[in-house]
Amino acid sequence: MGRDQPLRYAGIEAGGTKFVCMVAAGPDDVGAQAKFPTTTPEETLGRAVAFFKAHEPFAAVGIGTFGPCDFDPASPTYGHIKTSIKRGWEVVDILGTFRRDFPVPIGIDTDVNVAALGEWKWGAGQGLDVVLYLTVGTGIGGGGVMNGRMMHGLIHPEMGHIRVPRISSTDEFAGICPYHGDCLQGLAAGPAIQARWGKPAEELPPDHPAWEMEARHLALGISNYICVLSPRRIILGGGVMQQRHLFPLIRKEVKRLLNDYIPSPMILERIDEYIVPPRLGDQSGILGAIALAQQTA
Amino acid sequence: MGRDQPLRYAGIEAGGTKFVCMVAAGPDDVGAQAKFPTTTPEETLGRAVAFFKAHEPFAAVGIGTFGPCDFDPASPTYGHIKTSIKRGWEVVDILGTFRRDFPVPIGIDTDVNVAALGEWKWGAGQGLDVVLYLTVGTGIGGGGVMNGRMMHGLIHPEMGHIRVPRISSTDEFAGICPYHGDCLQGLAAGPAIQARWGKPAEELPPDHPAWEMEARHLALGISNYICVLSPRRIILGGGVMQQRHLFPLIRKEVKRLLNDYIPSPMILERIDEYIVPPRLGDQSGILGAIALAQQTA
């Protein structure tokens, strides 16, 4: 690689439905990209390794992965996906697979932390000290970047699993979370909408009462995240948030719930700029993986 | 001050009920300490200034204050308490008062962020990357230290104001929060216990049903904080938590709510070490102010 060329990085967005692989220096300098469905670990990781072999060299690898996954560098199973939800992926050493083939630094984190990093680096969260990224789709997951670092602690955030009040005390929908029943994910993820109304979310028209209810559930979660984390911006992605008419409903309900208690003009006057879609569109995750590779290098 | 003497710092715990002032190098080297009730701003701040004048020199000042207070260094009212709850303290320039008299660096933050800092530096949170301190008393407030820094963002955490589900769908207690009614503070702060049961919390015997309910409300809040922040340790202080019999009730209920979803031995096996009282006793706040002065110097 010549001196004048910018360093390239490898990024992997490892999802339960599809994998995205990219070699890039940044959003405006993408060398190559591939997408393929998540099938068996052997086939899927084999395709990813083959893609990157064909596009060497790169300075580092960043992986944003579905989970649960072990992100504790001190653990013997660091970088292993351990999930009971996706068949065949009960224990898969995703980090080790790439380590065997690519002798460069490799970073790995949750899909949502990595998407938050992408939006912080190049998208709607640029320059902000606390950025929250929430995905609402098959599940609900939240990630964050605080002072330039992805959120970690005992493990990593599992924001979809907070408990929120019911909209109505007579609501008898049990929720679909296998662990918690009616946690936020159990009430408001895509499969919960489908279970409650008998149709996939994308088939419900914008004036269906499902959306008002969805906005109220999500607003309860978001107003709780505001009270706990005080984010500078909240970015909402994922399949359900493709329903753009949800945004004004959510913003209005968050304002109602907070009731002018948080004395910031971002909430009191400019909530349209506070709760926003990803600026990187559907590329937050894969560009976040490139950003993670840069941080890791 | 001789070369061999350690640097001393000034700390102020500014509470709505009492002020604590200290000059110290650390918890084992306290030069002087004073406590007095919070009366008018003139009298209270006057006593504090007089105390510190009598105990100069010190390298810096740290202030942990009740609020709401403006903690945005870019704001023209930075360091002003702005509260409608404590009469006479509607707008008080607490930072400016000390700046006028003491030409040293001065740091100011929320009482709970500062208490979290104290426990992180010298108490139950030593060496941990994410520490949560929650006070349960006249109100409910949470502060945190992440990677050595107190939590800030749009403003600061207002953790007591998250919404949680009711314990029972037939519960008709409206909650006592003037902004949100039945947010966590509205359901579980000391005055909520008194409003619900008609007696101050400290007069209720340990076998009173109030405590089981209190533990369940607090556990809902704490399990939500775990999902959002993934703290390494949760420290519970404040007047209500003087009822030590609450701790085992809370731990059991947090475990039940999380239902083995968070795969950490700290929760699955060692929750007695995870949800704990302050190790600094009632000194978390004032020693945190000393720690803040050290950070600011």
Side-chain angles (χ1 to χ4, degrees), chain A:
Chain A
M1 196 162 14
R3 272 200 177 182
D4 298 341
Q5 276 189 293
L7 277 179
R8 291 226 159 138
Y9 302 92
I12 302 156
E13 183 187 352
T17 308
K18 68 174 197 301
F19 266 54
V20 185
C21 299
M22 180 184 274
V23 174
D28 303 322
D29 185 359
V30 174
Q33 184 168 348
K35 288 187 202 190
F36 38 85
T38 307
T39 56
T40 64
E42 295 70 28
E43 183 179 49
T44 315
L45 296 176
R47 290 182 76 167
V49 167
F51 169 85
F52 289 115
K53 281 280 172 206
H55 294 92
E56 289 185 290
F58 36 79
V61 180
I63 306 172
T65 182
F66 74 117
C69 179
D70 182 345
F71 297 107
D72 176 5
S75 159
T77 55
Y78 175 50
H80 288 52
I81 292 177
K82 298 172 174 180
T83 183
S84 51
I85 291 166
K86 180 85 184 166
R87 213 144 70 93
W89 292 77
E90 287 81 4
V91 182
V92 173
D93 182 7
I94 181 167
L95 177 63
T97 300
F98 290 96
R99 273 191 177 156
R100 267 191 298 279
D101 282 293
F102 304 103
V104 293
I106 304 183
I108 186 166
D109 216 300
T110 68
D111 43 9
V112 278
N113 260 346
V114 167
L117 188 71
E119 288 289 329
W120 170 77
K121 179 98 182 179
W122 291 303
Q126 275 178 78
L128 302 178
D129 54 3
V130 186
V131 173
L132 174 64
Y133 178 94
L134 197 73
T135 182
V136 186
T138 317
I140 295 182
V145 175
M146 293 184 95
N147 301 311
R149 295 167 71 160
M150 289 178 287
M151 286 180 67
H152 284 274
L154 190 64
I155 58 161
H156 48 267
E158 283 286 356
M159 298 194 198
H161 293 273
I162 65 169
R163 289 341 200 275
V164 295
R166 293 301 184 111
I167 303 302
S168 149
S169 61
T170 59
D171 181 19
E172 292 185 351
F173 179 65
I176 53 102
C177 175
Y179 287 88
H180 311 122
D182 64 352
C183 64
L184 182 62
Q185 172 166 313
L187 289 173
I193 301 174
Q194 174 153 10
R196 186 190 280 272
W197 302 100
K199 279 191 192 190
E202 60 271 24
E203 292 178 18
L204 300 170
D207 60 352
H208 193 283
W211 297 116
E212 179 71 30
M213 177 176 270
E214 179 70 5
R216 291 184 66 187
H217 283 137
L218 292 175
L220 280 160
I222 291 165
S223 59
N224 280 0
Y225 304 143
I226 292 171
C227 290
V228 179
L229 287 172
S230 206
R232 292 272 182 188
R233 185 156 287 141
I234 297 171
I235 302 162
L236 304 180
V240 171
M241 295 311 303
Q242 294 300 317
Q243 309 285 329
R244 285 294 195 265
H245 56 88
L246 274 172
F247 279 88
L249 298 175
I250 290 169
R251 291 175 186 131
K252 188 177 157 198
E253 183 67 7
V254 166
K255 268 185 77 80
R256 192 187 70 77
L257 286 167
L258 292 176
N259 194 24
D260 294 352
Y261 184 72
I262 307 287
S264 166
M266 284 302 284
I267 294 174
L268 302 178
E269 296 154 24
R270 294 158 60 193
I271 198 162
D272 291 3
E273 301 165 44
Y274 184 62
I275 299 175
V276 299
R279 198 183 295 164
L280 301 176
D282 61 359
Q283 301 269 87
S284 316
I286 186 62
L287 287 171
I290 297 292
L292 172 57
Q294 283 193 1
Q295 272 199 351
T296 308

Side-chain angles (χ1 to χ4, degrees), chain B residues 81-253:
Chain B
I81 292 176
K82 298 172 173 180
T83 183
S84 52
I85 291 165
K86 181 85 185 167
R87 212 144 72 91
W89 292 78
E90 288 81 5
V91 182
V92 174
D93 182 7
I94 182 167
L95 177 62
T97 301
F98 290 96
R99 272 191 176 156
R100 268 190 298 279
D101 282 292
F102 304 103
V104 294
I106 305 184
I108 185 166
D109 216 299
T110 68
D111 44 8
V112 277
N113 260 346
V114 168
L117 188 72
E119 288 289 329
W120 171 77
K121 178 98 182 177
W122 291 302
Q126 275 177 78
L128 302 178
D129 53 2
V130 185
V131 174
L132 174 64
Y133 178 93
L134 197 74
T135 181
V136 187
T138 317
I140 296 182
V145 175
M146 292 184 95
N147 301 310
R149 296 167 71 162
M150 288 178 289
M151 285 179 67
H152 284 275
L154 191 65
I155 57 160
H156 49 268
E158 283 286 356
M159 296 194 200
H161 293 273
I162 65 168
R163 293 329 203 281
V164 295
R166 293 300 183 111
I167 303 303
S168 149
S169 61
T170 59
D171 181 18
E172 293 186 351
F173 179 65
I176 53 103
C177 175
Y179 287 87
H180 310 124
D182 64 351
C183 65
L184 182 62
Q185 173 167 311
L187 289 172
I193 302 175
Q194 174 153 11
R196 186 189 281 272
W197 302 100
K199 278 189 192 191
E202 60 271 24
E203 291 178 19
L204 300 170
D207 61 351
H208 193 283
W211 297 116
E212 179 71 28
M213 176 176 271
E214 179 69 5
R216 291 185 65 187
H217 283 136
L218 293 175
L220 279 161
I222 291 165
S223 60
N224 280 0
Y225 304 142
I226 292 171
C227 290
V228 179
L229 288 172
S230 206
R232 293 271 183 188
R233 185 156 287 140
I234 297 171
I235 302 162
L236 304 180
V240 171
M241 295 311 303
Q242 295 299 318
Q243 309 285 329
R244 285 294 195 264
H245 56 89
L246 274 172
F247 278 88
L249 298 175
I250 290 169
R251 291 175 186 132
K252 188 176 157 197
E253 183 67 5

